[in-house]
């Protein structure tokens, strides 16, 4: 029996952070079992970096390095840039013709992003509204069975299924409706200020941060507001430092949580220990990342091989799509 297929992607809008890393760790766990397509969605990055486009190509190389540094095996998974597989653009165009505007206007990430980033009318482009259609194309062009993501992406997965359903209804069964894979424990990694960790909130710890930067950032992190003195009982669930400890030290966090609850340890001790835990997770990645960046030729050839494999599969889907839509070019 052939393996089930997975597609997922990340935007090269800068360095990846711990929130992204959690999803990446899920990909790494799934790579044995699934046929994996790991995309770097450089066209999506244009929705926010349209006036700083020179940042995208270097960021895309760093994201590729982080994918591999986190444990993705480029011999096993296809790691590639979205813009290297033109079929994403063709399918995006075709799907855009059958996606009602109302669906896009209702996507919560569209409204939130507009408000949070306080985008001007100029920045609220046609492409920005159509972001989820391009994402649907990324997924459907591989006829993926499942998509591992963080919780913030669920509305995009929902609209992908709706678009697939509409296509199948109009032109005949062509796409599976992809399931989402969300790790409930780590579906929303908190940032230093207790909001969701995100580049746009300036509350993130990046995989590119060195040990000192991680230490400085953790020292500023939000802790339980009712724990003023070391001996006050804490509520670890309400403390970013404790919550991150639990994620990155899953086997040993419990005792520290109990001591925190009983007022037997202070926030400084929690912070110092978290810094050690985080750096021990990040250190091996830092080393691997440096090696990968020092050998751009190897990285490039993995990206070429990944794109070639992706193009092959995407081209097969587009043949099915054109045929379902009766758009095949008759040969004279
Ligand atoms: P992006 O680049 O914002 O994020 C990449 C992945 O990281 C997850 N994530 C988080 N998970 C837990 N806690 C957080 N604080 C956190 N922040 C980010 C995201 O859920 C995501 O899984 N639209 C996508 C990119 C995309 C895509 C796709 C994803 C384009 N095409 C096709 C899947 C399939 C995005 O902006 O992700």
């Amino acid at each position: 029996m052939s393996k089930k297929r997975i597609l997922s992607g990340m935007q090269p809008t800068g360095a990846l952070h711990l929130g992204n890393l959690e999803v990446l760790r899920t990909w790494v766990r799934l790579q044995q079992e699934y046929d994996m397509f790991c995309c770097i969605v450089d066209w999506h990055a244009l929705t926010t970096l349209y006036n700083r486009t020179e940042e995208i190509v270097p960021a895309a190389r760093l994201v590729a390095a982080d994918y591999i540094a986190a444990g993705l095996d480029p011999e096993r998974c296809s790691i590639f840039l979205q813009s290297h597989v033109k079929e994403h653009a063709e399918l995006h165009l075709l799907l855009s013709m059958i996606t009602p505007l109302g669906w896009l206007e209702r996507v919560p990430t569209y409204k939130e992003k507009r408000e949070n980033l306080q985008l001007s009318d100029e920045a609220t482009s046609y492409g920005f509204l159509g972001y989820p259609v391009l994402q649907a194309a990324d997924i459907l062009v591989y006829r993926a069975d499942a998509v591992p993501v963080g919780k913030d992406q669920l509305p995009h997965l929902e609209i992908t299924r709706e678009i697939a359903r509409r296509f199948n209804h109009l032109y005949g069964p062509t796409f599976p409706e992809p399931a989402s894979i969300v790790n409930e424990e780590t579906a929303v990694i908190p940032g230093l200020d207790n909001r969701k960790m995100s580049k746009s909130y300036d509350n993130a710890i990046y995989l590119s941060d060195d040990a000192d930067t991680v230490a400085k950032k953790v020292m500023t992190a939000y802790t339980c507001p009712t724990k003023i003195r070391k001996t006050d009982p804490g509520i670890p669930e309400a403390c970013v430092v404790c919550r991150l400890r639990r994620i990155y030290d899953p086997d040993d966090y419990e005792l520290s949580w109990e001591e925190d609850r009983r007022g037997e340890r202070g926030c400084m001790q929690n912070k110092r220990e978290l810094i050690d835990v985080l750096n021990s997770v990040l250190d091996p990645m830092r080393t691997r990342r440096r090696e990968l960046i020092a050998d751009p030729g190897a990285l490039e050839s993995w990206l070429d091989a990944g794109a070639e494999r992706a193009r092959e599969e995407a081209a097969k889907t587009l043949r099915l799509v054109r045929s379902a839509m009766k758009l095949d070019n008759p040969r004279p």
Side-chain angles (χ1 to χ4, degrees):
M1 230 178 69
S2 67
K3 285 181 173 177
K4 288 214 175 213
R5 187 173 289 172
I6 276 185
L7 171 292
S8 198
M10 301 203 181
Q11 293 192 68
T13 42
L16 298 184
H17 54 63
L18 292 181
N20 306 134
L21 177 62
E22 265 332 285
V23 175
L24 210 42
R25 300 213 291 187
T26 305
W27 299 4
V28 171
R29 275 196 297 275
L30 297 171
Q31 66 181 334
Q32 306 273 5
E33 199 185 326
Y34 287 88
D35 182 21
M36 299 266 303
F37 288 82
C38 305
C39 192
I40 298 155
V41 292
D42 48 348
W43 281 332
H44 276 106
L46 280 167
T47 55
T48 45
L49 292 181
Y50 65 91
N51 55 356
R52 297 188 346 245
T53 50
E54 69 284 1
E55 295 176 22
I56 297 177
V57 170
R61 296 305 184 274
L62 293 179
V63 170
D66 280 336
Y67 280 6
I68 298 170
L72 283 182
D73 175 357
E75 310 281 339
R76 187 184 285 275
C77 337
S78 307
I79 300 176
F80 63 100
L81 265 63
Q82 183 186 38
S83 65
H84 289 176
V85 187
K86 307 299 180 208
E87 284 78 1
H88 290 233
E90 183 178 351
L91 186 59
H92 168 248
L93 179 135
L94 296 174
L95 298 178
S96 77
M97 302 300 170
I98 64 161
T99 307
L101 263 188
W103 290 5
L104 297 173
E105 284 159 348
R106 275 198 304 274
V107 173
T109 47
Y110 172 68
K111 291 193 229 152
E112 269 166 39
K113 262 200 194 162
R114 260 187 90 162
E115 284 160 19
N116 283 336
L117 302 177
Q118 293 178 324
L119 291 181
S120 61
D121 283 345
E122 194 193 339
T124 334
S125 64
Y126 164 62
F128 182 64
L129 178 67
Y131 184 112
V133 186
L134 181 56
Q135 181 159 348
D138 297 338
I139 298 167
L140 299 178
V141 85
Y142 301 102
R143 284 167 287 147
D145 299 292
V147 186
V149 284
K151 202 170 179 179
D152 59 328
Q153 294 301 313
L154 291 181
H156 292 158
L157 266 286
E158 191 52 52
I159 197 167
T160 299
R161 285 188 286 269
E162 278 176 300
I163 293 173
R165 231 173 282 143
R166 187 158 158 78
F167 187 101
N168 293 343
H169 173 75
L170 286 167
Y171 309 115
T174 307
F175 298 117
E177 288 179 30
S180 40
I181 299 180
V182 176
N183 180 349
E184 281 306 323
E185 303 273 299
T186 57
V188 186
I189 300 291
L192 298 165
D193 59 0
N194 202 31
R195 292 189 289 173
K196 181 188 92 158
M197 186 174 286
S198 164
K199 279 166 214 159
S200 42
Y201 295 158
D202 194 22
N203 65 357
I205 293 177
Y206 293 99
L207 307 190
S208 57
D209 286 344
D210 60 22
D212 285 346
T213 310
V214 169
K216 282 201 192 91
K217 286 185 173 177
V218 169
M219 284 299 168
T220 68
Y222 176 96
T223 52
C224 172
T226 53
K227 184 173 168 69
I228 316 279
R229 279 173 298 265
K230 183 177 161 183
T231 50
D232 292 337
I235 307 167
E237 292 83 354
C239 167
V240 168
V241 177
C242 298
R243 287 171 64 199
L244 290 175
R245 168 79 179 259
R246 177 178 174 164
I247 293 163
Y248 295 101
D249 188 19
D251 299 329
D252 283 321
Y253 79 94
E254 273 171 6
L255 180 63
S256 72
W257 272 44
E258 281 317 310
E259 288 174 358
D260 187 79
R261 267 192 235 288
R262 291 195 300 259
E264 287 168 11
R265 56 160 58 222
C267 298
M268 283 310 283
Q269 186 181 352
N270 281 334
K271 286 180 171 176
R272 271 196 303 270
E273 290 176 6
L274 177 65
I275 291 166
D276 289 343
V277 166
L278 284 180
N279 281 326
S280 68
V281 170
L282 293 175
D283 253 339
M285 289 186 55
R286 291 186 182 118
T287 310
R288 184 79 182 107
R289 187 176 203 270
R290 263 197 304 277
E291 291 165 0
L292 288 159
I293 291 169
D295 188 0
L299 198 59
E300 221 52 49
S301 61
W302 277 322
L303 288 174
D304 285 346
E308 193 167 325
R309 165 110 211 292
R311 272 195 297 270
E312 228 169 80
E313 292 307 315
K316 280 186 208 156
T317 303
L318 261 298
R319 281 195 288 275
L320 291 175
V321 165
R322 287 186 217 107
S323 152
M325 294 180 79
K326 313 231 179 323
L327 297 173
D328 313 65
N329 262 335
R331 298 261 171 248

